[in-house]
Each structure stands twice: as structure tokens, then as C-alpha cells.
Amino acid sequence: MTPAAATLVSPGRQALDSALLQLDQAADRLHLDDGLRTMLATPRRSLTVSVPVRREDGRMDVVQGFRVQHNTTRGPAKGGIRFHPSTDIHEVTALAMWMTWKCALVGIPYGGAKGGVSVDPATLTTRELERVTRRYVNEILPIIGPDKDIPAPDVGTDEQTMAWIMDTYSVNAGYPVPGVVTGKPMTLGGSLGRAGATSRGVQIATLKAMSGSPEGRTVAVQGFGKVGAPAARYLADAGCRVVGVSDATGAVVNHSGLDVADLRAWVEETGGVYGYRHADALSHEDLLELDVDVLVPAALEGAITAENASRIRARLIVEGANGPTTPEADRILADAGITVVPDILANAGGVIVSYLEWVQNLQACSWSAKEVDTRLRDLMEESFDAVAAMSAERGLSLRQAAHVIGVGRVAEAHRMRGLYP
Ligand code: GLU
């Protein structure tokens, strides 16, 4: 493909191509027949909506919204909602497919879904954001529900967004329905431990993947946001030395180790890591290529590509983001002997605690932070061990092994249910 042609393929389409390729390879290893492959490659339900939004100056804008339910064989569809200007139906489909394998891999009774609204939340006032959220939820209302499809936070959304979703759904139902969405504030039935769950899971996966003590191991985090910033703190708490981090505003490095709490305070104050006093500035590319023990990509898809993979010097990559490594980059990293803990395993902590939140909502009860954390740790560790065992047994990378397990469980569930009519 010429460079000009390459630019015509949207990042979302590239993510979907990666997801389909991973599925195809797992299906080959599982000897799945063509019918089942096609079923697994195709979302069960895919909804595109137009979301009209009244701006503060009275104008009306229309943005696109999506909700894709990739699979519901093992349980209700589950997955976050992303607010990002470049989100499209292809990206949301890829992310929904990854949710299906993730939930199956960690053994929670859900299918996979994802939602997205092609909007930049930073350009909206809080009231505009609330209007976009409520109108989008209204448009997808017929297909979501605590037994059907349960949204959660993702890039650009947070617990306030989830509170508006819970309210919009409940007002329409005529009674409160906390179990329609996870990642809610504590006052509305949120779970202790949900806010930091993805990051805590990244920490657990990193410690499992490291041979030996974490003490003094160096870490770089790409994306010092909702997942990356707490992950940096958890890894520092475990004894690692976090030397470099980046976000949209820039990248900073301090080889003696960054004070993660102080850096977070700086980000709170200034809006980003750029200009942080106790570190040197570096480029986004250089951050990814730092000579560290662990690299945690925790931003968007397609961060590690065929173009930069050969310059990565980390020994271990733990994917906090969904789809940060392209299949071509995966091959280059494998040839270089770099271990990659794949997204569907490494960042599963979020949906695991979402599941625990939903169970608490359905039972109208609330568990202690310790209880939630123990369940999270057990599920992460068991899933990691299963992936590592499959990888060793069949000579596969951790990603290939994770997909064989995840896809295999969904395929098995399809076979047991049979085809109706
Ligand atoms: N958005 C998160 C993910 O990609 C969490 C999904 C959820 O909790 O449903 O895994």
C-alpha cells in the first residue's frame, strides 16, 4: 500500500482489521468452521444514531453515536462508552469484539459491547456534555438495560457521565435502575475499588509477568490519564521506579524516578505533564523508546506500530489501553524477545470490578474494598496463569494464548446453545 493509500484507512478501520486478524488466527488454532468464524466476526447488533445537541449559544450541532453489541452468547453485552472526536463505527466494533474475548477470558458472564460518540468532550461545557450524554442514551435506550447491555466508562467519560446515564435510563423506566451502568459514583450504587480497578489490574498483571522482585524496576507510562496515572502509582507502590510518563500535553523523564503523587498534583493544577519542574521534557516518540524494564501503553489504539516497534527497548509491555500494538508491531516485538501482556488480559481489571458492581446492584448489597480487591486479584491472577500455561503448552505469545482461550470459550458456548431455529 502506498503511504497516500495508507492514510485513507481510518485508525478505527485499522483497529477493526487488527481485531479480525487476531480472531482469524485464534479460529485457525481452534479449528473453527466457517459458519462460526463468520458469526464471531460479525456483531450481533450494531446501532448508529444521530445525536442533536443544543449548544450554549443556541445553535444545534449533530454528532454521531454508536453502540455495538458484538456478542451476547455468554451473557448480557458489556462495555464502555467512549467520547472522542475520531471514534467511528469500525473502532467501536473492534473495541466491542475485544470486550467479548476479555469477558470470556476472565470468566465473567458477559458478552461484549462498546459505545462511542464522535465528540471532543474538552470542547463542550458541562451542560452541553450532559445534554449529549442524555440524548445519546435516549437514542440507544431500546437496546441497553441491566439484563441486555450494561455500559461503563471509557476514554473521555467518567462517573459523572455514568450518573447521567443511570438517571436518563431510570427516568424513562419510571424507577431507579442502578444495574444499567457500571462505574457509577458511590452514592448511586458504585463499587469501592472501581475507579482504580483497571490500573490495579495492570499492576497485578505486571507483577505476574515480571520474573523476580519489582524493586527498582524501571517503568514508562504512555498516557498519564484515568488508567495510566493510577497504574504508575500502583507500580511505584510495589517498588518500581517510574521514570517517564506522557499525556496529550507532552512527555517527561527523570531517571532517578518521578514522584508520582507530586506529578499528579502538577497535572491537576496545570492540566498536563508538560512543564513539570522535577523532570526533563522529551518527545512522545522518545517516551515509547525509553530503555526501561516495563512500558505501559495506556492511551489509544495504534501507539506501537511497524514504524516504531524495532526501536522499543522495554523488556516487558503491559497494555493498559485497548489495541495499542498493531499485529505487525506484535511480530517485531516477538522477534526481539519482548513480552507483551495483551490488553484483553492486562486491562481486564476494569470490567472485572464492573461485574462486581453489577452483582452488588442486582443483590442490593455493598462489599468492602478488601472483598472487591481480593476478588479482582484472584480473577486477574487465575486468568494470567491460564494464559501463561496455554502460551507455554502451545508455544504461543501471551496475546495468541489469550485469544485462543477467549475465542474458544465463546465458540464453545455457541456450540452448547445451538442455532435457533
Ligand atoms: N472500558 C473498559 C474496558 O475497555 C471497561 C468496560 C466495562 O467496565 O464494562 O475494558
Side-chain angles (χ1 to χ4, degrees):
M1 201 185 287
T2 63
T7 57
L8 294 177
V9 179
S10 73
R13 185 65 239 188
Q14 287 175 33
L16 183 53
D17 288 345
S18 302
L20 288 169
L21 182 68
Q22 289 160 356
L23 167 61
D24 222 39
Q25 291 172 347
D28 284 346
R29 296 191 170 99
L30 290 158
H31 309 292
L32 300 187
D33 64 47
D34 286 350
L36 196 46
R37 275 171 195 257
T38 311
M39 244 181 115
L40 297 177
T42 325
R44 295 264 55 76
R45 192 178 276 134
S46 188
L47 182 61
T48 299
V49 296
S50 294
V51 184
V53 49
R54 179 79 57 204
R55 303 299 295 257
E56 298 294 4
D57 62 7
R59 269 182 310 123
M60 188 182 75
D61 276 346
V62 180
V63 295
Q64 291 265 287
F66 314 96
R67 185 75 186 170
V68 174
Q69 297 169 351
H70 169 256
N71 192 279
T72 50
T73 304
R74 298 180 59 264
K78 183 84 189 84
I81 290 173
R82 169 173 295 202
F83 285 2
H84 193 275
S86 69
T87 206
D88 62 19
I89 190 67
H90 303 303
E91 180 191 53
V92 175
T93 305
L95 292 163
M97 192 180 293
W98 285 324
M99 285 307 302
T100 301
W101 316 142
K102 192 185 308 189
C103 294
L105 172 64
V106 299
I108 55 177
Y110 287 137
K114 203 71 153 203
V117 179
S118 53
V119 73
D120 181 358
T123 63
L124 301 180
T125 66
T126 305
R127 282 194 307 192
E128 288 169 342
L129 204 54
E130 177 174 354
R131 288 200 284 265
V132 171
T133 306
R134 289 185 184 278
R135 186 60 192 249
Y136 163 71
V137 172
N138 239 280
E139 300 296 338
I140 65 165
L141 207 65
I143 66 166
I144 63 168
D147 302 319
K148 292 199 252 183
D149 180 1
I150 304 114
D154 196 80
V155 174
T157 56
D158 58 17
E159 58 172 37
Q160 175 60 78
T161 327
M162 301 306 115
W164 291 327
I165 296 176
M166 182 270 189
D167 183 67
T168 307
Y169 188 90
S170 299
V171 167
N172 276 278
Y175 52 91
V177 189
V180 67
V181 69
T182 58
K184 297 177 294 295
M186 286 304 296
T187 42
L188 293 176
S191 175
L192 289 167
R194 176 62 185 86
T198 309
S199 318
R200 169 83 170 116
V202 166
Q203 181 210 36
I204 295 167
T206 308
L207 299 183
K208 288 287 286 180
M210 263 178 190
S211 36
S213 158
E215 207 56 48
R217 303 288 187 98
T218 52
V219 177
V221 178
Q222 181 236 9
F224 196 64
K226 233 171 20 187
V227 173
R233 198 201 73 212
Y234 281 124
L235 289 168
D237 288 350
C240 298
R241 183 149 48 96
V242 179
V243 296
V245 304
S246 68
D247 65 12
T249 67
V252 293
V253 65
N254 180 338
H255 291 286
S256 320
L258 293 159
D259 177 338
V260 178
D262 189 57
L263 179 54
R264 285 183 89 175
W266 170 262
V267 171
E268 276 291 293
E269 196 185 311
T270 66
V273 302
Y274 178 79
Y276 181 58
R277 292 176 293 265
H278 308 295
D280 298 319
L282 78 169
S283 69
H284 282 110
E285 297 77 52
D286 288 346
L287 183 280
L288 287 171
E289 297 163 19
L290 279 175
D291 186 5
V292 285
D293 293 304
V294 187
L295 172 64
V296 180
L300 293 172
E301 301 94 79
I304 305 174
T305 63
E307 197 279 313
N308 63 5
S310 57
R311 295 194 299 276
I312 302 279
R313 283 181 289 168
R315 266 68 72 191
L316 173 65
I317 296 176
V318 184
E319 295 183 335
N322 291 309
T325 311
T326 65
E328 300 79 25
D330 243 349
R331 274 194 295 275
I332 297 167
L333 297 172
D335 288 346
I338 297 170
T339 303
V340 180
V341 185
D343 46 8
I344 61 169
L345 173 61
N347 72 29
V351 75
I352 289 174
V353 180
S354 274
Y355 164 65
L356 300 178
E357 176 177 332
W358 181 72
V359 171
Q360 291 169 79
N361 294 155
L362 298 188
Q363 298 182 355
C365 70
S366 109
W367 296 336
S368 69
K370 189 162 177 283
E371 201 166 348
V372 171
D373 192 64
T374 305
R375 288 174 194 260
L376 165 63
R377 203 193 49 223
D378 288 351
L379 278 175
M380 283 299 298
E381 291 188 345
E382 281 162 24
S383 309
F384 190 97
D385 289 341
V387 171
M390 169 72 78
S391 153
E393 190 186 311
R394 297 192 49 178
L396 302 174
S397 70
L398 294 177
R399 190 188 313 281
Q400 291 164 342
H403 277 82
V404 166
I405 297 174
V407 174
R409 287 183 180 164
V410 179
E412 181 54 20
H414 268 296
R415 265 194 293 268
M416 293 306 291
R417 282 182 60 160
L419 193 60
Y420 172 85

